[in-house]
């Protein structure tokens, strides 16, 4: 391959720079900027210390200290790497975003309190788009100054009471954790036999097992809180919520993938799609074990990890898989999380056929499901001179192609599981008699979104629980601090 070879020119360059006395500290990278996911490796493809084969020989050639990154989160791994002579210094950028007190917790022996990075790279995705970075594991990231939040310190509630949190998915777990740390008497009720919500499915997708840390970290922390009770196999109805005896209620019942193909692409269902029948399936149904045929079309209107991950999962089972998306590339969001280059290599290697900038006009169920697909840009490029009511202002394209499959999997829109919340709102007149002060919706139950944003929502509501309406965020500082100058308004004013 072209470029510098780590074990040849790479070491020779280190020796040259060392002999010339040019370097005080070596921070080793193994890639160029265009594919810097080879350094900031997502957990989908790379485990901790994935760069070792390329970097382990540098220290022998360098007289200055050597620093190595590699998404190190486990203290035992860090000690082994240092003792092996691979490096002198552990670099931990993303792990420090997930837990800014990582060194302190290691030093204090509190390793089970470490909030380990899951390697989703949502932090990088926000930065790549010029927005303040966020973190799936640490909802306080970038909020320390503008909201006045400390990642490890929580203001104790002056008048704590009892709170029922319905749903132990990402938002519910985080909301219960923060409310518990603030002194509330928290009852977390989960309909299923395990906590975690949709994360239990996500962590079973190819390469995404480390995303399970979202659940395991919060399980560990909740187990330490004597004022938090977790009740599994406890589905909640409006009647059971009203009579539970809680002062306040937070509904965190998550989302469901649409069974009719409804999405933002056309703002309408796809004619002919019905996942209640045998020839169609949603991601939820696939992960629940619904039978999938040998020829599969994945319709991806989501554009993140779900569609491409299901395509890989089914290809690994020997299925013949095609993926249709309205976007110019499959899983376009993964361009920002640095997963895209290797995902596209994976699809090529596993024979997953891609139809991009394409959508479904209709689907005709038959012995084989026939999907009528069209290119989004089939309409004419020239605008007509006169507008006509009910017609496009350009030549309407009619070209389409028929794709056949045994099963179509619809990864299109998601709908909030807000039925419980809405029924409780309709029965607001009964709250006072049952001693309920307020009911709030949080996370995907309020609006489906990125997991990091759902966790943030549960965290923020718990932080601001005493406000008149925690559903509405408190104002935050938007001004940038200038060194040596006061900021107006300041926090607390």
């Amino acid at each position: 391959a072209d470029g510098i070879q780590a074990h040849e020119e790479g070491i020779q360059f280190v020796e040259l720079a060392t002999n010339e006395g040019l370097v005080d500290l070596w921070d080793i990278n193994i890639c160029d900027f265009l594919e810097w996911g080879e350094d900031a490796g997502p957990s989908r493809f790379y485990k901790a210390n994935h760069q070792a084969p390329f970097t382990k020989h540098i220290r022998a050639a360098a007289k200055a200290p050597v620093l190595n990154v590699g998404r190190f989160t486990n203290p035992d791994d860090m000690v082994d790497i240092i003792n092996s002579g691979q490096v002198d210094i552990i670099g931990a950028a993303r792990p420090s975003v997930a837990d800014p007190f990582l060194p302190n917790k290691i030093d204090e022996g509190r390793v089970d309190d470490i909030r380990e990075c899951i390697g989703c790279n949502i932090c990088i995705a926000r930065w790549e788009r010029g927005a303040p970075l966020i973190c799936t594991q640490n909802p306080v990231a970038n909020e320390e100054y503008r909201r006045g939040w400390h990642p490890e310190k929580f203001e104790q509630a002056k008048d704590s009471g009892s709170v029922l949190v319905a749903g132990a998915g990402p938002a519910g777990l985080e909301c219960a954790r923060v409310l518990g740390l603030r002194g509330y008497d928290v009852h977390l009720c989960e309909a299923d036999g395990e906590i975690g919500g949709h994360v239990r499915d996500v962590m079973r997708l190819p390469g995404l097992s480390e995303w399970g840390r979202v659940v395991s970290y919060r399980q560990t922390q909740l187990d330490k809180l004597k004022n938090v009770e977790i009740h599994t196999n406890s589905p909640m109805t409006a009647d059971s919520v009203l009579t539970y005896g809680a002062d306040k209620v937070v509904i965190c019942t998550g989302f469901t993938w649409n069974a009719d193909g409804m999405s933002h692409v056309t703002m309408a269902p796809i004619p002919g799609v019905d996942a209640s029948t045998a020839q169609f399936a949603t991601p939820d149904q696939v992960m629940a074990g619904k039978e999938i045929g040998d020829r599969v079309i994945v319709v991806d209107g989501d554009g993140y990890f779900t569609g491409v991950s299901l395509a890989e999962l089914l290809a690994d089972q020997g299925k013949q898989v095609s993926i249709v998306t309205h976007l110019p590339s499959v899983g376009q969001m993964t361009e920002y999380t640095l997963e895209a280059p290797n995902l596209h290599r994976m699809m090529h290697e596993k024979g997953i056929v891609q139809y991009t900038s394409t959508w479904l006009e209709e689907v005709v169920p038959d012995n084989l499901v026939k999907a009528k697909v069209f290119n989004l840009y089939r309409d004419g490029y020239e605008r007509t001179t006169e507008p006509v009511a009910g017609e496009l202002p350009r030549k309407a394209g009619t070209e389409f192609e028929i794709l056949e499959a045994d099963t179509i999997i619809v990864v299109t829109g998601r709908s909030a599981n807000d039925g419980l919340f809405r029924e409780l709102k309709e029965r607001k007149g009964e709250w006072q008699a049952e001693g309920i002060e307020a009911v709030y919706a949080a996370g995907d139950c309020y609006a489906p979104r990125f997991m990091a944003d759902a966790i943030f929502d549960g965290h923020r509501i718990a932080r601001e629980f005493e406000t008149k309406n925690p559903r509405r965020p408190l104002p935050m500082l938007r001004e940038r601090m200038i060194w040596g100058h006061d900021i107006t308004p300041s926090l607390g004013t």
Side-chain angles (χ1 to χ4, degrees):
D2 294 336
I4 295 176
Q5 299 299 296
H7 60 289
E8 295 173 353
E9 299 101 325
I11 293 177
Q12 292 169 8
F13 174 78
V14 170
E15 291 173 341
L16 174 63
T18 297
N19 292 336
E20 295 294 328
L22 300 176
V23 178
D24 297 317
L25 171 72
W26 289 97
D27 180 2
I28 307 300
N29 292 334
I30 67 171
C31 72
D32 60 22
F33 185 74
L34 290 178
E35 285 201 30
W36 66 290
E38 297 300 302
D39 280 311
S43 58
R44 180 194 292 271
F45 297 111
Y46 299 117
K47 304 306 178 187
N49 202 25
H50 62 93
Q51 295 175 319
F54 300 91
T55 62
K56 63 184 179 181
H57 301 297
I58 296 298
R59 189 168 180 268
K63 294 180 181 177
V66 175
L67 181 148
N68 198 169
V69 298
R71 200 169 46 80
F72 301 112
T73 64
N74 187 302
D76 293 330
D77 291 341
M78 298 181 191
V79 171
D80 290 343
I81 291 163
I82 294 290
N83 288 340
S84 72
Q86 177 183 323
V87 295
D88 300 290
I89 303 171
I90 295 290
R94 287 171 295 165
S96 294
V97 174
D99 194 331
F101 296 99
L102 175 61
N104 305 59
K105 292 177 181 179
I106 295 173
D107 188 49
E108 296 165 4
R110 297 190 296 120
V111 294
D112 59 340
D113 288 333
I114 294 173
R115 194 166 42 245
E116 292 189 61
C117 170
I118 68 172
C120 66
N121 279 2
I122 197 70
C123 54
I124 291 171
R126 284 289 172 92
W127 179 84
E128 283 274 302
R129 291 181 289 168
L133 65 81
I134 59 175
C135 177
T136 300
Q137 281 286 64
N138 178 18
V140 179
N142 253 339
E143 304 295 342
E144 298 89 345
Y145 168 69
R146 67 178 185 174
R147 295 186 192 268
W149 292 354
H150 188 285
E152 304 284 328
K153 296 178 182 178
F154 299 87
E155 182 181 354
Q156 290 298 294
K158 294 180 176 140
D159 186 18
S160 60
S162 60
V163 183
L164 169 63
V165 179
L173 288 169
E174 182 67 10
C175 188
R177 182 184 77 89
V178 176
L179 288 171
L181 288 169
R182 298 196 59 220
Y184 283 93
D185 176 21
V186 181
H187 288 238
L188 177 60
C189 292
E190 168 57 45
D192 293 337
E194 299 178 65
I195 65 172
H198 78 280
V199 181
R200 298 201 311 274
D201 286 342
V202 171
M203 61 190 287
R204 293 164 52 208
L205 294 171
L208 301 187
S209 61
E210 290 190 44
W211 290 35
R213 292 174 179 171
V214 167
V215 179
S216 60
Y217 166 74
R218 287 163 179 82
Q219 173 79 72
T220 299
Q221 300 307 304
L222 288 169
D223 287 346
K224 294 183 178 185
L225 296 172
K226 295 181 180 180
N227 55 325
V228 177
E229 296 181 14
I230 301 176
H231 303 279
T232 54
N233 295 309
S234 299
M236 303 304 295
T237 64
D239 287 335
S240 62
V241 170
L242 287 168
T243 59
Y244 197 90
D247 299 321
K248 293 183 179 180
V249 180
V250 184
I251 306 298
C252 303
T253 43
F255 69 85
T256 300
W257 287 96
N258 294 337
D260 58 3
M262 174 73 177
S263 75
H264 70 284
V265 181
T266 60
M267 300 302 293
I270 299 172
V273 170
D274 182 2
S276 68
T277 62
Q279 292 179 303
F280 300 90
T282 65
D284 306 318
Q285 294 171 334
V286 174
M287 300 310 292
K290 187 172 184 176
E291 185 175 351
I292 306 299
D294 292 330
R295 297 173 62 184
V296 181
I297 297 172
V298 176
V299 181
D300 185 13
D302 181 63
Y304 191 16
F305 65 86
T306 305
V308 67
S309 296
L310 287 172
E312 181 180 7
L313 179 73
L314 296 169
D316 289 345
Q317 295 174 7
K319 313 284 187 187
Q320 181 181 331
V321 182
S322 298
I323 186 165
V324 174
T325 181
H326 64 294
L327 296 165
S329 64
V330 172
Q332 194 166 14
M333 175 64 188
T334 64
E335 298 283 351
Y336 301 111
T337 61
L338 312 185
E339 297 165 283
N342 282 325
L343 278 174
H344 286 283
R345 294 182 180 109
M346 176 278 294
M347 287 186 285
H348 176 76
E349 185 174 333
K350 297 186 178 183
I352 298 172
V353 180
Q354 303 171 51
Y355 294 86
T356 57
S357 298
T358 301
W359 201 241
L360 281 68
E361 196 168 276
E362 66 174 334
V363 178
V364 180
D366 202 341
N367 185 33
L368 289 175
V369 190
K370 295 180 172 61
K372 183 186 290 188
V373 302
F374 63 95
N375 186 284
L376 294 184
Y377 302 105
R378 67 180 178 178
D379 297 329
Y381 69 92
E382 292 182 325
R383 186 185 297 174
T384 54
T385 56
E386 295 292 336
V388 178
E391 295 184 11
L392 288 174
R394 61 187 74 248
K395 182 185 73 174
T398 58
E399 301 88 358
F400 63 86
E401 180 181 354
I402 297 292
L403 303 181
E404 295 183 337
D406 299 303
T407 307
I408 290 182
I409 298 172
V410 281
V411 188
T412 50
R414 298 181 288 167
S415 294
N417 294 334
D418 58 0
L420 175 59
F421 174 71
R422 289 181 180 275
E423 185 176 354
L424 288 167
K425 294 289 282 186
E426 290 172 359
R427 297 174 64 176
K428 189 173 182 179
E430 302 175 46
W431 292 4
Q432 185 175 5
E434 299 293 349
I436 294 177
E437 299 173 19
V439 178
Y440 309 112
D444 294 318
C445 168
Y446 185 73
R449 60 193 87 181
F450 290 132
M451 191 189 305
D453 291 325
I455 292 172
F456 175 85
D457 198 43
H459 184 103
R460 186 199 58 74
I461 283 177
R463 286 264 193 181
E464 302 174 350
F465 208 53
E466 299 76 33
T467 61
K468 185 177 180 180
N469 180 13
R471 190 55 266 163
R472 182 182 293 275
L474 290 175
M476 61 186 178
L477 297 181
R478 298 186 180 275
E479 297 84 354
R480 294 190 176 186
M481 179 179 285
I482 301 175
W483 187 263
H485 293 266
D486 292 333
I487 295 296
T488 303
S490 59
L491 286 172
T493 62

